[in-house]
Amino acid sequence: MLDEVKLQKAAETSSREFFRLIRRRLREGEKIPQDIVNSLILRWLKHHPPAQTSRFLPKLAAELARRNSLQSAWNLVSFLEVIFRLRKPRVGIYDHAFHYIGGAQKYGSTIAQTLQDDFEVTLLANKPVALPDLEAWYGLDLSRCRLEVVPLPYFERKSRYPQIIEPGEVNTSGENPFHAVGRESGNHDIFVNNGMLEMVYPLSNTSLFICHFPEREKSRFFYVDRYTEIIPSSLYSARWIEKRWNLRPNKHIYPPADMEPAAFPLKKENIILSVSRFDVGGNKQQLEMVKIFQELARNYPRELDGWKLVLVGGSTPANPYLERIEDHLRGTAAAKIELQVNIPASEVRSAYEKAKIFWHFCGLGQTDPAKVEHFGITVAEAMQNGCVPVVFRGGGQTETVEDGVSGFLFSSEKELVDITLGLLESSIRFEEMSGRAYQRGKKFSREVFVGEVRAYFRGLLATRFSEAASG
Amino acid sequence: MKDTREIEKQIQRIKTALAEKRASIQDFETLIGEKVEGELWGFSEKALEKAVWDSFFYLERNKDCLEEEPLTSHRRLVGRVIVLFKKTWRALFRPYSKMILKRQNRFNRELIQLLLASLLRIEKIKERLDALEAKAEILREKQD
């Protein structure tokens, strides 16, 4: 076995010797990791006249293609293109659900917008989706990005619902359908797996795995350990990545919440608000909110006088959970409760602006960690509007809300009732908390997210795609 | 770095040549020159169970080696001749290959049966174990 130091020395002193050593190592059947290939060749190019290096470069590439792999030679050439500034670095951002509106997809699209001036950014989807749609859904400008669809025939054949790409349906004994995406990843210098899809094998020189939660257990098609870095979207996710996959993630980047009002303080009304999808399985627990609010109104009519509960959220048509809530409300008309389903973003914004208190129960009574809020973007949005959050003590919410400082965390129904009554009774307490929630909400703004993403990618360029990469 | 125009030209030339080769390689593992399948070690019980049944159904579906795959050729002009040649070749040797493959089929069927029986047996043992654990839990609670 040849050690790296010997190769590095040869790279600086003699082209012939360097080429001989590389060839020997490859012929011995030993693969050279891509980062080492790139750094050695860069070092060699730096120390020799172009006339000499250009003579050896094709030979080196051919030898790499033959002995290491064709992808390895391809990656080397892509790396050199970036180093010699023949083109901008290419970033491919993949999400198997880009064709749906979702928090994770907003995260990936915002990264795309942030990077589009410094990189050639391509959004990689598995189903057709138009860039103007993504722009409209998330309020972004993606005019300098490209979009490419990588079809996955496996799901068209297999699934009863071909529009849904459900990785859990993949039979791990057959062929991995996501190799088509892995192959495409090799066309980019930096591949960002935004859909936390562990079955995609990355081929790019640098690869990032963004993870909101490690949903599935390790399987035969598990390649997260092949990524250069894992970026969790909260500390809660980071802890579960370590626990479930035994992998150490890098620094987390919180998702962007962009519901900041034009001015603060806002004119508030006596509203307790909840903004959450009406999940078919009832995971967000709006029915429990209704019941607790009704109980509060029954037991504390004086304190609750003039207050109403507003439940805002998106829903699929014929949603049995939403029907259950509606049935329940029809039976009990006493307390003031409003349902606002599938309302436009401008009305959601207005609901945040008016509400004083924000309730979020997701995770209460849950034993499955996947069903606890991984971050809870609506909590951050509410805080940006000075709503005082009263949210379940679990998941990412413990990171967003500082208990007793910028909001409240509860673990039981009794705690929730006590905290809420405390807020209803004291307007001074509310004003104080509202101001602090507003300040705290700024930490999760789109501006902060953009700043963090930009700094992160600049760091990547500096360490992995500059002359510093030669070691 | 020094004057790099010559290297830049070289890079472009190499890239063009590699692009063609890369496009012609269909198999993922050939492209990257290594096996990519993960090891079963370190799987959770749930993931192992899925892997076991996935493998079983794959074997079950593919147990018949007498099933013939359609003969094709990717070449445009001479493709038909090649397919005809392959068909003749297959027809000529069918009696002999059938003799061997029939034995293989019997063996495969038996093996699948054995595997299924073993897997079901494990399931039954697991059920009994779960029931015993539940009983033990009740007894422990009573004792406390």
Side-chain angles (χ1 to χ4, degrees):
Chain A
M1 184 182 150
L2 295 161
D3 61 80
E4 254 51 84
V5 181
K6 208 170 174 183
L7 274 164
Q8 282 179 355
K9 210 171 166 196
E12 289 172 13
T13 51
S14 156
S15 290
R16 203 171 289 276
E17 176 65 1
F18 177 61
F19 182 55
R20 195 183 66 79
L21 286 176
I22 287 254
R23 200 160 58 173
R24 205 173 106 194
R25 180 158 164 177
L26 290 171
R27 285 192 178 168
E28 278 169 2
E30 202 184 328
K31 284 206 153 217
I32 311 177
Q34 195 62 43
D35 280 351
I36 294 175
V37 168
N38 293 352
S39 80
L40 280 172
I41 305 253
L42 185 57
R43 185 181 280 252
W44 169 66
L45 287 170
K46 269 164 67 178
H47 287 89
H48 296 278
Q52 202 181 97
T53 49
S54 65
R55 193 153 49 92
F56 277 100
L57 194 57
K59 287 183 190 170
L60 265 169
E63 197 67 20
L64 268 178
R66 205 166 31 241
R67 308 279 176 184
N68 231 20
S69 72
L70 196 110
Q71 185 62 39
S72 173
W74 177 263
N75 279 5
L76 168 70
V77 176
S78 301
F79 172 74
L80 295 178
E81 280 181 321
V82 177
I83 291 287
F84 286 102
R85 295 174 198 272
L86 302 185
R87 59 168 172 80
K88 279 185 187 178
R90 289 189 186 126
V91 177
I93 303 173
Y94 168 66
D95 199 306
H96 64 287
F98 260 140
H99 55 297
Y100 282 124
I101 301 180
Q105 292 69 42
K106 180 180 177 182
Y107 193 102
S109 303
T110 314
I111 294 178
Q113 177 187 263
T114 309
L115 302 179
Q116 64 183 342
D117 291 320
D118 301 324
F119 297 83
E120 277 179 31
V121 179
T122 308
L123 293 164
L124 303 168
N126 292 133
K127 295 279 175 189
V129 60
L131 278 176
D133 282 343
L134 293 173
E135 290 180 318
W137 292 341
Y138 310 124
L140 297 169
D141 165 26
L142 301 171
S143 53
R144 273 94 68 211
C145 295
R146 282 178 58 236
L147 191 129
E148 203 174 309
V149 178
V150 183
L152 299 177
Y154 178 89
F155 291 97
E156 326 258 312
R157 283 196 306 265
K158 187 180 164 68
S159 181
R160 273 183 298 159
Y161 309 100
Q163 271 306 98
I164 299 170
I165 291 171
E166 178 44 60
E169 281 182 6
V170 172
N171 184 326
T172 51
S173 289
E175 204 155 287
N176 183 348
F178 293 104
H179 277 341
V181 180
R183 194 187 173 89
E184 176 54 36
S185 75
N187 288 326
H188 303 270
D189 302 299
I190 302 172
F191 174 66
V192 182
N193 184 339
N194 184 65
M196 45 187 177
L197 218 161
E198 76 285 0
M199 299 184 195
V200 179
Y201 189 106
L203 295 186
S204 54
N205 273 316
T206 300
S207 49
L208 310 175
F209 189 87
I210 288 170
C211 189
H212 304 285
F213 190 79
E215 285 180 336
R216 284 169 294 277
E217 305 262 359
K218 279 185 178 181
S219 76
R220 209 178 266 185
F221 298 156
F222 180 84
Y223 307 119
V224 183
D225 48 350
R226 308 270 177 161
Y227 284 74
T228 316
E229 292 194 351
I230 304 170
I231 304 173
S233 63
S234 67
L235 290 170
Y236 177 72
S237 305
R239 274 195 299 277
W240 275 96
I241 291 167
E242 284 203 79
K243 200 169 173 181
R244 187 163 275 184
W245 289 344
N246 202 17
L247 293 172
R248 178 152 293 188
N250 296 77
K251 189 192 174 302
H252 62 283
I253 299 179
Y254 287 122
D258 46 10
M259 277 288 168
E260 286 175 294
F264 192 85
L266 295 152
K267 199 171 176 302
K268 294 281 186 184
E269 294 172 22
N270 289 344
I271 294 172
I272 297 177
L273 176 72
S274 154
V275 180
S276 259
R277 188 178 67 248
F278 289 94
D279 186 74
V280 180
N283 195 28
K284 307 286 183 182
Q285 308 198 32
Q286 285 98 335
L287 186 57
E288 282 68 22
M289 286 186 197
V290 169
K291 287 178 183 168
I292 290 175
F293 185 79
Q294 287 174 330
E295 206 180 303
L296 266 174
R298 249 193 325 271
N299 298 339
Y300 304 93
R302 189 180 54 81
E303 288 85 347
L304 263 286
D305 186 35
W307 280 82
K308 65 177 173 183
L309 173 69
V310 178
L311 302 176
V312 174
S315 169
T316 49
N319 179 342
Y321 183 68
L322 183 60
E323 281 165 16
R324 267 177 68 199
I325 298 173
E326 285 167 338
D327 285 348
H328 180 86
L329 286 176
R330 266 192 288 277
T332 51
K336 279 189 174 174
I337 297 169
E338 270 179 33
L339 281 182
Q340 298 185 7
V341 184
N342 292 332
I343 58 171
S346 58
E347 285 179 36
V348 179
R349 184 179 286 276
S350 155
Y352 276 128
E353 286 176 356
K354 285 185 211 156
K356 280 188 178 172
I357 296 172
F358 185 81
W359 273 3
H360 201 64
F361 289 16
C362 183
L364 181 63
Q366 277 294 347
T367 48
D368 181 359
K371 288 185 176 165
V372 175
E373 203 70 79
H374 316 325
F375 172 68
I377 197 133
T378 57
V379 179
E381 287 173 346
M383 291 169 87
Q384 289 180 336
N385 285 276
C387 307
V388 178
V390 182
V391 300
F392 172 67
R393 188 190 299 276
Q397 285 155 183
T398 56
E399 298 162 51
T400 340
V401 178
E402 307 144 296
D403 192 21
V405 180
S406 52
F408 297 96
L409 300 169
F410 68 87
S411 307
S412 64
E413 200 184 307
K414 190 186 172 304
E415 244 186 298
L416 164 80
V417 169
D418 291 345
I419 293 166
T420 307
L421 285 174
L423 279 168
L424 300 190
E425 279 165 4
S426 164
S427 61
I428 301 168
R429 193 172 191 210
F430 165 76
E431 297 293 339
E432 233 175 72
M433 275 290 171
S434 170
R436 283 196 229 131
Y438 169 72
Q439 288 303 332
R440 177 77 181 158
K442 284 181 177 175
K443 291 204 183 309
F444 307 100
S445 67
R446 183 182 279 184
E447 219 175 21
V448 170
F449 178 80
V450 164
E452 283 191 44
V453 169
R454 203 164 269 154
Y456 180 80
F457 275 82
R458 276 193 190 139
L460 271 188
L461 274 188
T463 51
R464 299 186 60 85
F465 293 96
S466 72
E467 290 193 32
S470 65
Chain B
M1 260 184 224
K2 308 140 202 159
D3 178 24
T4 52
R5 263 167 299 177
E6 186 53 36
I7 297 175
E8 285 168 13
K9 272 190 222 157
Q10 284 283 8
I11 290 171
Q12 296 299 7
R13 273 199 288 271
I14 298 168
K15 183 114 191 187
T16 314
L18 284 176
E20 265 176 46
K21 276 190 199 161
R22 192 167 175 264
S24 70
I25 297 176
Q26 296 303 315
D27 180 52
F28 191 78
E29 290 184 345
T30 310
L31 180 68
I32 63 169
E34 62 180 326
K35 287 248 167 243
V36 295
E37 214 167 78
E39 296 283 338
L40 290 172
W41 303 107
F43 279 23
S44 69
E45 198 185 327
K46 208 169 132 194
L48 265 181
E49 198 176 330
K50 183 176 184 316
V52 164
W53 284 105
D54 277 356
S55 287
F56 174 77
F57 288 124
Y58 180 82
L59 291 176
E60 220 280 327
R61 266 199 314 277
N62 294 290
K63 63 176 186 282
D64 185 6
C65 14
L66 278 166
E67 202 176 283
E68 287 179 347
E69 292 197 0
L71 293 171
T72 53
S73 168
H74 67 279
R75 288 185 176 82
R76 266 195 194 167
L77 294 172
V78 287
R80 284 185 181 182
V81 183
I82 292 171
V83 170
L84 183 71
F85 176 75
K86 283 181 182 173
K87 277 185 180 167
T88 318
W89 183 270
R90 191 189 258 181
L92 270 174
F93 287 95
R94 187 171 291 137
Y96 306 102
S97 60
K98 242 184 176 176
M99 206 164 61
I100 302 164
L101 291 177
K102 265 186 177 171
R103 276 184 67 194
Q104 183 67 52
N105 259 6
R106 273 200 301 276
F107 182 80
N108 286 359
R109 266 203 308 273
E110 214 45 54
L111 207 59
I112 296 282
Q113 282 300 312
L114 174 66
L115 257 178
L116 181 61
S118 309
L119 288 173
L120 292 176
R121 217 171 146 233
I122 292 171
E123 288 288 310
K124 293 216 183 292
I125 293 171
K126 217 176 136 238
E127 273 169 28
R128 279 179 59 197
L129 188 67
D130 287 346
L132 281 172
E133 273 178 349
K135 267 186 193 167
E137 188 59 32
I138 293 166
L139 285 173
R140 213 173 292 131
E141 273 172 19
K142 272 186 187 169
Q143 215 172 25
D144 292 340

